[in-house]
Amino acid sequence: MRNEKVVPVIVKTSLSVAAIFSTNLAVASTTMNLGWAVPLDTQYGVFAEKFKELVEEYTAGDVEVKLRPSGQIGGEDEAFSALQLGTIDGYLISLANVSPHFPELDVLALPYIFEGPEHAYRIFDGDIGDDMKDWVYEDTGVHMLSFNVFSYRDMYTTDREIHGIEDMEGLKARVPKNEVMIEAYREFGAEPVPMAWSETPTALQTGTIDAGDNGTEVILSMKFYEFAKNLVILNHFGSSVPFFVSDRFMSRLSEENTDAVIRAAEEAEQYQRELVGMEIEETRKQLVDKGMEISYPDKTGFVEAGYRVQQHFSEERGGRFSNLVERIRAVGEDG
């Protein structure tokens, strides 16, 4: 009789252990490795940490997101191809490094194509943005889940002060390997130096380049103020770092978890916009506190040059690209 009383307790305990073990398996049933090229303490990290939080909440832990900043799973230049192959799950890639794989996204890199952030968000969140997401998947097999925050790329120079477009003559400026940005700097009068992001910090330190541009928080987090004396506010290139996910990863998800991942990306996008949008001016002040001289050059010549670049690529590429330029211009800041 004594043994009979013990048996149910043992069975109950075993079942409890099995239940716990089974739950742990469910928590780790699907893992997304989410990468990006710069440190965690940037706008990339703001999006990624919120996305991780929301995905794990909305899937009740069934999908786990592991954050891989600072190029842990590869750099931006090779990330899109890896997404197409399915060898990485998700990556935040700046617009400039997507265009070799999907040229229509170059329309968003055109100088002065946007009148301001609200204009950009009308594009991202409207029919044009939906069309572009659909075309990315149709043409490349990669899912574009969000455009994320819009900000301007701020320019930095090691020594030369920029007061107007005439001061750009002969300036060796690092640019991504992006046709639009290369042509824009040529039109500004500079000497563009196409260069992978991974090579940029060393090139700036050694004097291989005299200038470049990046998101303001990247300039701060990468400590470019140690080598570049001048922060130049031109608002010439709009910057966005969309979130891409491989089809291989998405195909592993249940319908319910697919909806949860998409919802998490959309909500993390809005969270990032609200938070980062308020911090850009503060980041610029921090760069000044670090010793950079900030300037606001006469933009007249830059805007005129930017419009010539818009016209050049619109006529050269035609078709969908030219149509997008017209549609974006038609929307405008006020819709």
Side-chain angles (χ1 to χ4, degrees):
M1 293 292 295
R2 198 168 181 177
N3 288 339
E4 290 175 3
K5 291 180 180 179
V6 172
V7 170
V9 175
I10 294 173
V11 170
K12 184 177 180 180
T13 302
S14 298
L15 288 173
S16 298
V17 171
I20 293 170
F21 183 69
S22 180
T23 300
N24 286 339
L25 281 178
V27 168
S29 64
T30 308
T31 299
M32 170 190 280
N33 285 288
L34 169 53
W36 63 96
V38 296
L40 178 65
D41 188 21
T42 59
Q43 67 175 17
Y44 298 62
V46 171
F47 172 88
E49 290 186 314
K50 190 64 176 178
F51 175 75
K52 171 183 171 65
E53 173 193 328
L54 294 174
V55 165
E56 293 175 359
E57 175 187 344
Y58 294 158
T59 66
D62 194 38
V63 177
E64 178 185 11
V65 179
K66 294 185 177 181
L67 305 183
R68 310 295 191 189
S70 300
Q72 291 179 26
I73 57 174
E76 281 199 6
D77 296 281
E78 63 268 18
F80 200 90
S81 294
L83 287 164
Q84 288 179 294
L85 293 171
T87 54
I88 61 175
D89 303 321
Y91 210 99
L92 292 158
I93 310 176
S94 60
L95 287 172
N97 287 316
V98 179
S99 61
H101 311 277
F102 183 75
E104 278 81 0
L105 275 182
D106 261 348
V107 74
L108 305 180
L110 289 168
Y112 299 104
I113 190 68
F114 294 117
E115 298 172 20
E118 290 305 315
H119 183 194
Y121 293 145
R122 288 179 186 277
I123 301 305
F124 296 171
D125 299 339
D127 292 341
I128 298 174
D130 289 342
D131 286 346
M132 296 184 86
K133 288 178 181 177
D134 289 342
W135 295 338
V136 168
Y137 182 70
E138 290 169 8
D139 290 6
T140 70
V142 173
H143 299 264
M144 181 175 174
L145 298 191
S146 57
F147 283 92
N148 299 333
V149 71
F150 173 88
S151 60
Y152 287 109
R153 295 174 72 99
D154 283 346
M155 185 177 171
Y156 46 87
T157 68
T158 53
D159 294 302
R160 190 184 305 190
E161 295 182 3
I162 306 296
H163 300 289
I165 196 167
E166 63 278 359
D167 297 319
M168 296 288 287
E169 189 66 34
L171 189 72
K172 293 184 292 184
R174 178 266 171 180
V175 293
K177 296 176 182 178
N178 175 281
E179 291 182 9
V180 166
M181 299 178 79
I182 292 169
E183 182 61 28
Y185 268 97
R186 285 198 186 113
E187 198 66 35
F188 292 163
E191 296 179 8
V193 182
M195 183 179 294
W197 167 249
S198 59
E199 301 169 9
T200 303
T202 301
L204 189 63
Q205 293 177 47
T206 59
T208 304
I209 55 173
D210 305 318
D213 59 37
N214 286 102
T216 316
E217 82 294 335
V218 173
I219 299 172
L220 180 64
S221 67
M222 296 299 294
K223 299 183 179 181
F224 283 173
Y225 52 80
E226 294 181 352
F227 312 101
K229 296 180 181 178
N230 303 296
L231 182 67
V232 185
I233 311 304
L234 289 173
N235 293 349
H236 53 319
F237 293 131
S239 175
S240 174
V241 185
F243 177 40
F244 297 92
V245 178
S246 73
D247 192 52
R248 182 177 182 181
F249 173 81
M250 295 296 282
S251 67
R252 291 160 50 198
L253 300 177
S254 66
E255 183 176 347
E256 183 178 358
N257 284 346
T258 297
D259 292 341
V261 167
I262 293 171
R263 176 187 172 193
E266 292 171 349
E267 292 183 12
E269 174 181 44
Q270 295 303 317
Y271 173 83
Q272 182 202 39
R273 287 182 187 177
E274 292 172 10
L275 189 63
V276 174
M278 296 184 292
E279 293 182 344
I280 293 172
E281 286 302 324
E282 178 59 33
T283 304
R284 287 172 175 169
K285 290 177 184 177
Q286 290 181 53
L287 289 168
V288 171
D289 290 341
K290 296 289 186 181
M292 296 188 84
E293 294 286 336
I294 191 168
S295 64
Y296 297 83
D298 179 359
K299 293 193 295 185
T300 304
F302 290 99
V303 173
E304 292 172 352
Y307 188 79
R308 291 195 296 272
V309 174
Q310 291 180 29
Q311 290 298 103
H312 168 77
F313 282 97
S314 182
E315 293 168 7
E316 179 183 81
R317 297 191 180 180
R320 236 167 29 181
F321 190 95
S322 179
N323 180 254
L324 284 169
V325 172
E326 293 176 7
R327 290 171 69 186
I328 290 170
R329 287 174 173 170
V331 170
E333 182 83 21
D334 300 321

